[in-house]
Amino acid sequence: CMEENMTSEGLVQRGSAAQALLDNDSFRQVTKALMDYYISAILASNPDDEKGRNAAYFSSRALQDLIAVLNQWVVIKDQIISNTEEE
């Protein structure tokens, strides 16, 4: 696991960078636009276009995974900061 090789300071820095990205208006706009595009591609596909639907589905899953990892990094940062403040 990558976290095992990072210091608490490194995890906090990574989490802070992830938070900044998630809070960035341009990042939010592009992720929303991409998700809207993928959903539209699925809904507008022909019934026999399974390959096209699968491509749009897996692209949307990859985007969701990216956002989930960024959110996970923020949670780890917040936990480290919370634990540090409790000590």
Side-chain angles (χ1 to χ4, degrees), residues 7-13 75-87:
T7 63
S8 290
E9 182 180 324
L11 292 169
V12 168
Q13 288 175 348
V75 168
I76 291 168
K77 168 195 67 98
D78 291 344
Q79 288 174 340
I80 291 170
I81 290 171
S82 177
N83 291 342
T84 303
E85 290 172 352
E86 290 174 5
E87 292 174 358

Side-chain angles (χ1 to χ4, degrees), residues 32-76:
K32 183 185 181 325
L34 282 170
M35 193 57 70
D36 289 348
Y37 171 78
Y38 298 141
I39 292 169
S40 293
I42 291 168
L43 296 176
S45 66
N46 291 321
D48 60 345
D49 188 13
E50 185 177 346
K51 186 175 180 181
R53 275 191 305 282
N54 283 343
Y57 170 79
F58 288 118
S59 294
S60 72
R61 288 297 310 149
L63 182 59
Q64 290 170 333
D65 289 346
L66 176 106
I67 293 168
V69 169
L70 290 171
N71 280 309
Q72 182 181 37
W73 289 357
V74 173
V75 168
I76 291 168

